[in-house]
Amino acid sequence: MKKYILDLTVRSVERVHERYVLIKLSQTDALPPMNPGQFVEVRVDGSSSTFLRRPISINFVDKEKNELWLLVATVGEGTKTLAKLKASDTLNCVLPLGNGFTIPSVGGTVSASSISPLLVGGGVGVAPLLYLGKVLKAQGIEPTFLLGARSAKDLLMLSEFEKYGRVLVTTEDGSMGEKGFVTNHSVLQKESFNMIQVCGPTPMMKAVARYAREKDIACEVSLENLMACGLGACLCCVEKVRVDGDTSTAEATNVCVCKDGPVFNIKKLLWQN
């Protein structure tokens, strides 16, 4: 997919949580095609200590409004600088980068009703699942979102997710939804899914992937390795993966998460053993 370096105009910056902001971007021309699970590298202007671009997941693409949404966790000097952007400011972005989630093909012998995806997210890892849900819904596929957080106040953008599918939640303190982690939710015992797609903290993704393997369910995870260039040149996001799939004797090789991922089928990941 062709990559672009664009000066995008900030339409709004909304504080959706004490630690997160939602930045909506646009331009005069139509935004280029982007897939769920891909990301952008943004240049941070105005920070004396931020020299590298910051990778941010594509949260949502509103084609009608010609908007790109970025959900940003303000954890360091760079992202805190991004949170200070104002409407009409310019944000330089390289996009779209990486490979996204698999979108099932519907047609012929495959009906939309035969596909039952579970989209699992935790923390800022919920970000790419919103656009994924929209694209699945446009295919006639009804996704179920399973979103986890520490408490009710830490759940993000629930009303947006509800536009595209059923939303189930877990909170560690039990203040909303079922108490515990996403892998503790009763839906995993009560219902069957034939596709699971996950993004969030690594321990959470490993736990969901373990469940998927036990149930023999196709599963993809979006890795969050540290990235710098976003193009596979700096080699700081390398992950060792299997070449030939899910066997203990399969040959392993190193890949760049930013270029060959960030989304991987769990059968290729060594940490599943």
Side-chain angles (χ1 to χ4, degrees):
M1 182 176 286
K2 184 176 180 180
K3 300 172 179 60
Y4 300 81
I5 302 177
L6 301 175
D7 283 324
L8 300 180
T9 301
V10 176
R11 283 194 171 172
S12 65
V13 179
E14 178 185 352
R15 176 68 65 172
V16 296
H17 184 274
E18 61 184 10
R19 296 193 304 273
Y20 301 98
V21 294
L22 178 63
I23 302 175
K24 297 183 180 181
L25 304 164
S26 188
Q27 65 175 7
T28 302
D29 297 332
L31 292 169
M34 290 172 267
N35 296 327
Q38 291 186 302
F39 66 99
V40 307
E41 286 272 357
V42 302
R43 190 179 70 205
V44 182
D45 297 327
S47 170
S48 60
S49 61
T50 306
F51 305 103
L52 299 174
R53 290 178 179 265
R54 290 293 183 263
I56 308 291
S57 295
I58 293 171
N59 174 223
F60 193 73
V61 178
D62 188 329
K63 294 183 179 179
E64 290 73 26
K65 295 182 178 180
N66 198 38
E67 285 183 347
L68 165 64
W69 297 7
L70 302 179
L71 183 62
V72 180
T74 55
V75 295
E77 179 64 26
T79 49
K80 288 177 180 178
T81 299
L82 293 176
K84 296 176 182 178
L85 290 167
K86 306 294 183 184
S88 78
D89 285 347
T90 296
L91 185 63
N92 184 269
C93 301
V94 182
L95 70 141
L97 298 172
N99 296 302
F101 291 102
T102 299
I103 306 299
S105 298
V106 176
T109 60
V110 180
S111 65
S113 60
S114 69
I115 303 171
S116 54
L118 179 67
L119 313 187
V120 186
V124 76
V126 304
L129 302 183
L130 181 61
Y131 187 36
L132 175 59
K134 178 188 179 182
V135 172
L136 290 172
K137 181 78 170 180
Q139 289 274 84
I141 300 169
E142 295 288 339
T144 295
F145 299 99
L146 177 54
L147 310 177
R150 292 181 179 177
S151 66
K153 68 180 180 63
D154 297 311
L155 290 162
L156 304 171
M157 305 180 74
L158 291 185
S159 61
E160 292 295 332
F161 283 102
E162 289 168 351
K163 295 177 182 179
Y164 304 106
R166 177 177 55 152
V167 177
L168 307 174
V169 302
T170 64
T171 51
E172 294 177 32
D173 64 359
S175 55
M176 186 173 182
E178 296 190 13
K179 185 175 182 178
F181 302 114
V182 290
T183 46
N184 302 132
H185 199 285
S186 60
V187 73
L188 298 180
Q189 285 71 49
K190 294 178 179 178
E191 298 183 25
S192 298
F193 301 92
N194 54 24
M195 181 174 70
I196 301 178
Q197 294 167 304
V198 195
C199 186
T202 298
M204 183 207 78
M205 292 196 294
K206 288 185 176 181
V208 176
R210 190 177 306 115
Y211 166 85
R213 287 190 61 158
E214 291 171 353
K215 299 294 184 180
D216 194 26
I217 303 171
C219 181
E220 293 179 327
V221 297
S222 179
L223 301 188
E224 296 187 322
N225 297 34
L226 291 175
M227 302 179 195
C229 71
L231 300 170
C234 69
L235 304 180
C236 76
C237 64
V238 167
E239 180 84 13
K240 189 177 289 293
V241 301
R242 297 197 178 283
V243 175
D244 300 317
D246 190 22
T247 67
S248 60
T249 58
E251 181 185 355
T253 187
N254 291 319
V255 298
C256 291
V257 169
C258 67
K259 180 173 66 70
D260 300 291
V263 177
F264 292 91
N265 188 301
I266 62 168
K267 290 184 177 182
K268 295 190 72 72
L269 297 176
L270 296 183
W271 49 249
Q272 275 305 286
N273 291 326

